[in-house]
Amino acid sequence: MNISVIVPLYNEDESIPELYAWIERVMQDNNLSHEIIFVNDGSTDRSWEIIEGLAKTDSHVHGIKFRRNYGKSPALYCGFSMAQGDVVITMDADLQDSPDEIPELYRMIKEDGYDLVSGYKQNRKQGDPLSKTLPTKLFNATARKVSGIHNLHDFNCGLKAYRKEVVKNIEVYGEMHRYIPYLAKNAGFDKIGEKPVHHQARKFGKSKFMGWNRFVNGYLDLITLWFLSSFSRKPMHVFGFLGSMMFFIGFISACIIGADKLYSLSQGIPQRLVTDSPYFYIALTMMIIGTQLFLAGFVADLVSRSSQGRNEYQIEKTV
């Protein structure tokens, strides 16, 4: 099979039939064998009924239905698990991503040798509010800096193409869909490209995402991913080091305070009680915090070796 198209969706019953017909037309015009996997993320409208109807009339269509809303990352994770195509395309269901981009994305993976190609929505409408455009620019600039993938301008574009091996070797969870290029790079798939794509105005409904909320969540996820990619296999190295340093500094400080007290007593110099000195409590606090950090690193080491089940989701039906 040439292509698997994965479409995560939430309450998009109006756009599904048109998107399906558009994808089918593009595939037939370019003679590409394919499958379309709709992942219904707990929709409360008629989305699943429409997907079931399409699956009955077209063997290319498959569907996954979550019992409740989990989010885009879990939807992509389950879609990746089901995908069989040599190239996997992800796109949003709101008709803002154009299926006409699929043949060129496919060619870039197969002929140019990219592991991953991300869309770049250059022609976003000028009327987008500052609350949406500013967080997006800050988010992408921060993601480029932290990930080291400097050639991507739009990490969060839903339209992406992947070599099959990429989606089978990365784990997307939580809200990490924004950082799939970073996940791919950490997994050893570092030939990552970008393609300017046409971004259409939303035809039905309204956006499910708010600008500043997305930026804050994205920033926190980026810090998490950076930490996990750097220290997930060696948490004791960072926590243990910091804890040991703080404990050592606190212990030396306490020893200096005690030695100064003993020296003053031996010389008959009046000296206040050690417990009256604020430096004693600072040293004691550093020793306590250092011990806690060291234990945190030890516990994190144990957890990292035994974590399971973070990608288990309640799937009600598949077609």
Side-chain angles (χ1 to χ4, degrees):
M1 185 183 297
N2 299 133
I3 295 176
S4 294
V5 181
I6 299 175
V7 184
L9 61 99
Y10 177 69
N11 290 342
E12 297 286 359
D13 57 355
E14 294 177 305
S15 61
I16 293 173
E18 185 173 337
L19 178 62
Y20 159 75
W22 194 351
I23 294 173
E24 283 293 316
R25 184 172 65 252
V26 170
M27 296 300 181
Q28 291 173 11
D29 291 345
N30 292 274
N31 197 28
L32 294 168
S33 58
H34 68 285
E35 64 180 354
I36 307 172
I37 303 172
F38 290 103
V39 186
N40 181 26
D41 186 23
S43 296
T44 56
D45 60 6
R46 295 181 59 252
S47 293
W48 183 248
E49 291 178 42
I50 295 171
I51 294 168
E52 282 188 313
L54 293 173
K56 289 177 182 177
T57 59
D58 188 344
S59 61
H60 295 147
V61 176
H62 305 288
I64 299 172
K65 181 184 182 185
F66 287 166
R67 290 188 181 276
R68 66 173 181 84
N69 179 254
Y70 285 103
K72 191 172 184 178
S73 290
L76 289 175
Y77 173 81
C78 293
F80 288 162
S81 299
M82 181 182 283
Q84 297 299 315
D86 294 336
V87 174
V88 177
I89 306 286
T90 60
M91 63 192 323
D92 294 336
D94 55 13
L95 297 174
Q96 290 188 286
D97 296 332
S98 172
D100 290 333
E101 307 284 356
I102 291 176
E104 178 61 16
L105 289 170
Y106 176 77
R107 189 200 65 77
M108 292 178 72
I109 296 291
K110 298 296 287 185
E111 297 181 15
D112 294 346
Y114 286 105
D115 295 315
L116 184 157
V117 179
S118 181
Y120 174 27
K121 297 175 284 191
Q122 285 185 311
N123 65 326
R124 295 189 72 100
K125 58 183 180 179
Q126 299 299 315
D128 279 353
L130 191 63
S131 62
K132 184 175 182 180
T133 57
L134 182 58
T136 297
K137 289 181 179 180
L138 290 173
F139 163 76
N140 284 310
T142 305
R144 283 194 297 272
K145 182 69 175 178
V146 174
S147 69
I149 307 175
H150 301 293
N151 63 319
L152 294 191
H153 296 84
D154 190 359
F155 277 75
N156 205 38
C157 180
L159 185 56
K160 289 183 173 67
Y162 314 81
R163 192 178 304 280
K164 181 180 180 180
E165 291 79 6
V166 175
V167 302
K168 299 300 183 182
N169 286 280
I170 61 174
E171 184 183 19
V172 188
Y173 62 94
E175 294 187 23
M176 295 298 180
H177 59 274
R178 302 178 179 93
Y179 306 112
I180 291 181
Y182 194 9
L183 292 171
K185 179 186 174 184
N186 289 338
F189 301 99
D190 55 4
K191 191 163 186 184
I192 298 172
E194 183 175 73
K195 179 187 183 303
V197 296
H198 182 65
H199 180 70
Q200 304 186 126
R202 172 176 280 272
K203 191 171 182 178
F204 304 106
K206 60 182 181 179
S207 174
K208 311 296 191 300
F209 304 100
M210 296 302 292
W212 285 106
N213 180 62
R214 179 170 61 177
F215 173 72
V216 172
N217 291 339
Y219 170 77
L220 295 175
D221 287 337
L222 181 60
I223 296 300
T224 299
L225 185 55
W226 170 79
F227 184 83
L228 289 175
S229 65
S230 301
F231 306 110
S232 63
R233 298 186 182 275
K234 48 187 180 184
M236 190 61 173
H237 289 195
V238 60
F239 286 112
F241 174 75
L242 290 175
S244 298
M245 287 295 295
M246 290 196 70
F247 183 88
F248 179 75
I249 293 171
F251 180 75
I252 295 299
S253 300
C255 289
I256 291 173
I257 293 170
D260 181 62
K261 176 69 175 181
L262 291 175
Y263 175 78
S264 298
L265 290 175
S266 66
Q267 298 297 318
I269 302 173
Q271 182 70 280
R272 63 182 177 179
L273 294 174
V274 170
T275 53
D276 288 339
S277 171
Y279 300 109
F280 170 76
Y281 293 102
I282 293 173
L284 185 62
T285 301
M286 290 187 70
M287 292 173 66
I288 293 172
I289 294 176
T291 302
Q292 290 177 329
L293 284 172
F294 187 90
L295 290 175
F298 180 72
V299 172
D301 239 7
L302 295 177
V303 171
S304 69
R305 297 172 188 271
S306 59
S307 60
Q308 295 178 352
R310 65 183 177 188
N311 260 324
E312 293 180 359
Y313 307 108
Q314 294 294 320
I315 296 176
E316 184 177 346
K317 292 181 182 179
T318 59
V319 293

